[in-house]
Amino acid sequence: MSFIRRASRVAVASSIHGNVQRRQRTRWAAEDQAKAAAQPVTPIPDLPPLPPQPGSEVSMDEKIEQLTKLGELKTAGVLTDAEFETQKARILAS
């Protein structure tokens, strides 16, 4: 009888151990997700605009095309309002 008793105790202990591991894994995964969601997104620093190249004046058609693409990016949610205004001013200044 002692063999059966020992085997049943081992089976119960193994089952409990597995349940504890599964609960810990689930809890730690939830904590990791919460930490990742709480971390602020590091913004990409704005680079200063390049100085205009001599003799490389941008035509009005190219500016309109660039502004159209910029508007599409803002509408798609890729650019924030501040980024949009910065890039728009850069295009219009060139």
Side-chain angles (χ1 to χ4, degrees), residues 39-87:
Q39 288 180 339
V41 177
T42 306
I44 299 172
D46 290 335
L47 298 176
L50 295 174
Q53 298 292 329
S56 66
E57 230 6 78
V58 179
S59 72
M60 187 56 73
D61 291 335
E62 290 175 3
K63 286 183 182 182
I64 291 172
E65 182 181 334
Q66 289 175 348
L67 289 171
T68 304
K69 288 181 183 178
L70 194 64
E72 290 171 357
L73 289 172
K74 182 179 180 244
T75 304
V78 175
L79 295 177
T80 64
D81 291 333
E83 292 170 332
F84 174 77
E85 292 299 325
T86 303
Q87 293 301 321

Side-chain angles (χ1 to χ4, degrees), residues 18-46:
N19 289 339
V20 169
Q21 280 186 329
R22 186 177 63 249
R23 276 194 310 245
Q24 286 177 340
R25 242 190 336 250
T26 304
R27 185 180 67 201
W28 292 337
E31 289 175 1
D32 288 344
Q33 288 176 351
K35 286 179 185 176
Q39 288 180 339
V41 177
T42 306
I44 299 172
D46 290 335

